[in-house]
Amino acid sequence: MCKDIECIKNSFFEPVSTKEITSAIKRLKEEASSGPDQIHNLLLKNVPQNILKDIMYLFSLSLRE
């Protein structure tokens, strides 16, 4: 199982990019309520850039699994 982004990049699928994550976050409606994860869209819209890599890793790992 991959433990870092380099492993994911070398995997058999295309990993999710930070550009894709940023684009998806920009399209979120600020006034929408939180989903089952209780993460509000405003939080995602204001997340620091260094956290985007962690989100990218989680999405890519999720797709791989």
Side-chain angles (χ1 to χ4, degrees):
M1 183 166 102
C2 289
K3 297 285 184 186
D4 61 20
I5 196 64
E6 287 305 315
C7 178
I8 290 173
K9 285 180 180 177
N10 296 326
S11 193
F12 60 91
F13 70 96
E14 187 69 27
V16 178
S17 70
T18 53
K19 185 177 179 179
E20 290 172 306
I21 302 263
T22 303
S23 175
I25 289 174
K26 284 181 181 179
R27 291 191 309 265
L28 293 173
K29 296 179 182 177
E30 291 181 9
E31 62 278 353
S33 60
S34 301
D37 59 9
Q38 297 297 306
I39 299 173
H40 199 279
N41 289 348
L42 280 175
L43 177 87
L44 292 172
K45 285 183 167 281
N46 293 299
V47 73
Q49 286 293 318
N50 61 332
I51 301 298
L52 288 178
K53 288 184 181 180
D54 294 329
I55 294 172
M56 178 184 68
Y57 172 75
L58 290 172
F59 282 176
S60 296
L61 187 59
S62 177
L63 290 172
R64 182 180 181 277
E65 295 299 317

